[in-house]
Amino acid sequence: MLQELSIRNFAIIDELSLSLEEGLTVLTGETGAGKSIIIDAVQLLVGGRGSSEFVRHGEKKAEIEGIFIIHDDHPCYGKCEELGIDIEDGMVLLKRDISQSGKSACRVNGKLVTIALLREVGSTLIDVHGQHESQELMDETKHLLLLDQFGSQDITPAKSAYFELFEEYEQVQRQIRALTEDEQQMAHRLDLIQFQFNEIEEAELQLGEDEQLTEEKIRLANFERLFSSLQTAYNALQGDQKGLDWIGLSMSNLEQSAEIDSALGKTSESVANSFYLLEEAAQSIRQQLDSLEFDPDRLQVIEDRLNEINQLKRKYGSSIEEIVHFAAAIEEEIESITNRDSTIKELELKRASIIEDLQLEADHLTAVRQQWANNLTDEIHDQLQALHMNKAIFEVRFHQSSVRNAKKFHFKKDGVDTVEFFISTNPGEPLKPLTKVASGGEISRIMLALKTIFSKHQGITSIIFDEVDTGVSGRVAQAIAEKIYAVSVHSQVLCISHLPQVAAISDRHLFISKEVKNDRTITHVEPLEKQDRVLEISRMISGVEITDLTLSHAKELLDLAHSIKKTAVS
């Protein structure tokens, strides 16, 4: 849900902070008070198109900030993970600044993002519906996704089984395309990888060879220092200084002392052990000295070999192991290209087998979708009937992109179906695409019917209805109010409305007003409670003049709304 909204220097809004709650919040007020401006700010916050005209006159920039609280399995987590944005404690902070030049600075949890990325994140958090704007439910390219969300318990497993085979099919398709490229390109490719393979083979690389050669190079390059150090170490033990002789003398005297005082036994033994260890070390040093031999030709051989290995590393991998793996891969490719015709035949046979299985999975997925499309049609008819559109006919139409009989297969990652919603709102009228419905009142009711159903499945944090009740009245107005409340049971809803029925059924009522102060227009937001709410609903019923009758009607609407909500909860 949208928990906090902060707006500064935006249009006629000087500074505004709103703490929002779950359920249905309605915004009412006189025309021009700033209700739609607040919704405009929210739309910009989630990636809507902005301009310098939104910046309050005389200010350098407009600032909009929103804090959203989301649950653990919310789709926003996946989107933010793709973008490398961390979410802590289920909190998402969106911020957008618009300068006088019209440029925007967008942030998600403090990280700078483009407007396009802000829109991707925002689309998982807020769904804005206005009477005439293009929205998800009125976008035919989204209808398949909506159907899949509606019947997810059966459709998702079927899609997973299909997609697993689809990925295998795509891999074989890529291999066939690679082998059926232009003959000249294929010949050039074969010449290149054959040269690379021969170059690596002729080098006769051994794993770990470069490390061993580097160690030997260091020894040869520092031969004089190594010889001098070993010679000095040997002389200290066995040379003129006779270090071992002195330790031997100490060992003899300690052995004699231990015969007199047994407490010296351990000391005597320790010195004796050290003597014999040092004697062995001296012999080892002597052998090392005798084996040392400086060979300048060997040093040159090592340097040449290391240069050869480094050249191969620059071309084929950062280590000998990677070079060997690269050689193995291109050897397989050489084999594949050399025997291209037979390889293509094998792949085509494999593809044909996969297509048979994939078509079966696609047919099963289509059948499951059609079953759920029937369920969706029934539910939407029920919703439309409740909204007094008894004669409306809704239909989910399928178009398949794969035709088995024509041997034309055009598989997509989500199946072979294209789905579009059709509707006829009046008897005798043909079914038309949902996007072609013209009447504002009809659009409002159809959209609410769809939203009542899909809000349970979409996972959207907040839904905003911007005057979707325009063009309706009477019993239809009451039905719309009840449907908007039904949507708010599953998602937080913010609603701008001129219908007293909608205001009465809301969980929270905000009154938007404006005043002129110091020659500047300022917008105010005031939460209404009890009597103030009755007065505002009375004003919405009658206009300017409030009478005892309108007050009574307002109280009646509130009591009716309370009964409806109580029944809905129970």
Side-chain angles (χ1 to χ4, degrees):
M1 59 171 278
L2 175 59
Q3 187 179 59
E4 297 285 340
L5 177 65
S6 174
I7 306 170
R8 287 171 54 91
N9 303 324
F10 186 79
I12 63 172
I13 297 176
D14 177 26
E15 185 169 356
L16 182 66
S17 293
L18 288 177
S19 294
L20 301 170
E21 299 173 3
E22 294 181 345
L24 173 58
T25 297
V26 69
L27 287 72
T28 67
E30 295 290 349
T31 300
K35 301 185 299 297
S36 292
I37 292 175
I38 294 174
I39 303 305
D40 289 341
V42 175
Q43 286 185 295
L44 286 171
L45 181 65
V46 294
R49 185 176 298 175
S51 72
S52 59
E53 295 178 1
F54 286 113
V55 181
R56 185 172 169 83
H57 178 68
E59 302 294 341
K60 293 182 179 180
K61 65 177 181 179
E63 302 175 33
I64 311 163
E65 198 167 10
I67 298 175
F68 295 82
I69 304 300
I70 60 177
H71 50 74
D72 293 340
D73 58 348
H74 195 280
C76 187
Y77 275 98
K79 180 59 63 178
C80 286
E81 186 177 354
E82 290 177 20
L83 304 177
I85 298 171
D86 295 329
I87 298 178
E88 295 183 3
D89 300 325
M91 183 179 294
V92 180
L93 173 63
L94 303 187
K95 190 174 190 299
R96 184 170 181 183
D97 299 340
I98 303 174
S99 67
Q100 285 182 329
S101 64
K103 293 182 178 180
S104 291
C106 311
R107 290 177 173 81
V108 179
N109 280 358
K111 181 176 181 177
L112 275 170
V113 296
T114 63
I115 293 177
L117 294 180
L118 177 68
R119 190 178 300 119
E120 287 186 31
V121 174
S123 66
T124 68
L125 298 170
I126 284 188
D127 195 4
V128 180
H129 293 267
Q131 183 183 350
H132 300 294
E133 64 187 359
S134 176
Q135 50 199 269
E136 188 176 49
L137 292 173
M138 304 296 284
D139 181 357
E140 66 271 13
T141 64
K142 302 292 180 63
H143 292 175
L144 180 64
L145 175 62
L146 291 171
L147 175 62
D148 287 353
Q149 290 173 341
F150 176 71
S152 59
Q153 64 192 72
D154 292 326
I155 295 176
T156 298
K159 278 177 72 173
S160 298
Y162 168 87
F163 184 70
E164 187 176 341
L165 271 175
F166 174 78
E167 285 191 312
E168 189 177 352
Y169 167 77
E170 283 287 280
Q171 183 180 3
V172 172
Q173 283 284 78
R174 286 191 294 269
Q175 291 174 325
I176 292 175
R177 282 195 296 267
L179 289 170
T180 54
E181 287 179 345
D182 181 75
E183 290 278 350
Q184 190 175 20
Q185 287 184 349
M186 189 64 67
H188 288 164
R189 174 64 180 169
L190 181 59
D191 287 343
L192 172 62
I193 61 177
Q194 187 68 64
F195 169 80
Q196 293 173 332
F197 180 75
N198 292 341
E199 186 177 28
I200 295 171
E201 280 290 289
E202 290 169 4
E204 297 181 346
L205 297 172
Q206 301 295 324
L207 294 177
E209 179 185 2
D210 48 348
E211 288 90 349
Q212 295 173 4
L213 289 173
T214 300
E215 291 177 4
E216 187 177 356
K217 177 184 174 181
I218 292 171
R219 287 197 301 271
L220 288 173
N222 295 278
F223 177 82
E224 291 184 2
R225 191 170 62 166
L226 177 61
F227 184 86
S228 175
S229 297
L230 288 174
Q231 186 68 58
T232 301
Y234 180 77
N235 288 337
L237 293 172
Q238 293 281 37
D240 294 339
Q241 298 180 32
K242 297 180 180 179
L244 276 175
D245 287 349
W246 286 105
I247 295 174
L249 178 61
S250 173
M251 179 180 66
S252 298
N253 282 279
L254 279 171
E255 287 175 350
Q256 293 175 14
S257 299
E259 292 176 359
I260 300 170
D261 186 353
S262 60
L264 296 170
K266 287 187 179 180
T267 303
S268 173
E269 184 180 352
S270 176
V271 171
N273 288 337
S274 298
F275 174 82
Y276 296 125
L277 287 172
L278 289 170
E279 190 175 47
E280 289 179 10
Q283 291 174 1
S284 177
I285 293 171
R286 180 72 263 173
Q287 291 172 0
Q288 290 287 333
L289 283 168
D290 292 342
S291 66
L292 282 178
E293 181 179 356
F294 180 68
D295 183 356
D297 294 334
R298 174 61 181 166
L299 181 60
Q300 186 61 48
V301 168
I302 291 173
E303 288 180 343
D304 291 344
R305 179 61 172 171
L306 286 174
N307 285 335
E308 181 184 10
I309 293 172
N310 288 331
Q311 287 285 353
L312 293 174
K313 284 182 179 180
R314 278 192 287 271
K315 293 180 181 179
Y316 309 121
S318 60
S319 67
I320 290 179
E321 186 176 10
E322 287 186 13
I323 296 171
V324 171
H325 286 162
F326 177 80
I330 61 174
E331 185 178 20
E332 289 183 9
E333 188 176 354
I334 290 168
E335 179 70 20
S336 176
I337 294 174
T338 304
N339 303 292
R340 186 174 59 162
D341 292 341
S342 61
T343 303
I344 290 174
K345 286 181 181 179
E346 290 177 6
L347 288 171
E348 286 177 341
L349 288 172
K350 184 177 181 180
R351 179 178 63 182
S353 175
I354 293 173
I355 284 175
E356 288 293 321
D357 293 338
L358 189 58
Q359 187 65 56
L360 290 173
E361 293 295 346
D363 291 343
H364 174 64
L365 177 57
T366 299
V368 174
R369 280 173 170 158
Q370 288 174 338
Q371 180 182 349
W372 277 98
N374 293 333
N375 296 341
L376 175 61
T377 299
D378 291 341
E379 284 203 31
I380 288 177
H381 282 151
D382 290 343
Q383 294 291 335
L384 291 174
Q385 188 171 8
L387 288 164
H388 305 289
M389 294 182 70
N390 304 36
K391 305 298 183 181
I393 300 173
F394 179 86
E395 184 180 294
V396 180
R397 288 193 178 176
F398 282 76
H399 309 284
Q400 288 198 349
S401 56
S402 170
V403 184
R404 183 194 291 267
N405 295 335
K407 294 185 178 179
K408 294 179 181 179
F409 299 96
H410 181 59
F411 297 106
K412 300 176 294 182
K413 66 178 182 179
D414 55 2
V416 296
D417 304 313
T418 300
V419 164
E420 189 174 2
F421 297 159
F422 278 67
I423 194 165
S424 170
T425 56
N426 297 299
E429 292 294 323
L431 286 161
K432 295 180 181 179
L434 186 62
T435 53
K436 304 297 184 182
V437 177
S439 165
E442 288 176 342
I443 289 175
S444 299
R445 284 182 279 172
I446 293 166
M447 183 272 295
L448 278 173
L450 293 168
K451 203 65 194 175
T452 302
I453 296 169
F454 289 125
S455 64
K456 304 173 186 178
H457 307 278
Q458 287 180 293
I460 300 293
T461 298
S462 303
I463 299 171
I464 294 177
F465 293 130
D466 186 5
E467 299 189 10
V468 297
D469 48 26
T470 301
V472 297
S473 59
R475 62 177 186 168
V476 174
Q478 182 60 41
I480 282 181
E482 293 177 21
K483 288 303 173 192
I484 291 176
Y485 178 75
V487 174
S488 74
V489 173
H490 303 282
S491 300
Q492 179 193 44
V493 172
L494 307 179
C495 180
I496 292 179
S497 180
H498 294 287
L499 290 179
Q501 292 91 337
V502 176
I505 207 168
S506 66
D507 298 308
R508 192 176 187 221
H509 190 158
L510 301 179
F511 179 69
I512 316 297
S513 61
K514 65 180 180 180
E515 68 169 335
V516 178
K517 190 174 182 180
N518 298 326
D519 297 326
R520 298 299 301 273
T521 303
I522 299 174
T523 295
H524 295 287
V525 178
E526 179 185 359
L528 299 183
E529 301 290 345
K530 297 180 180 179
Q531 190 58 35
D532 288 336
R533 192 175 181 189
V534 173
L535 289 171
E536 172 59 9
I537 293 174
S538 296
R539 183 195 64 77
M540 295 174 72
I541 295 171
S542 64
V544 177
E545 186 177 355
I546 298 174
T547 66
D548 291 339
L549 182 60
T550 57
L551 286 172
S552 175
H553 190 186
K555 292 176 182 177
E556 185 179 356
L557 279 178
L558 286 167
D559 290 339
L560 175 62
H562 179 72
S563 298
I564 292 170
K565 290 161 70 173
K566 189 175 180 180
T567 302
V569 172
S570 60

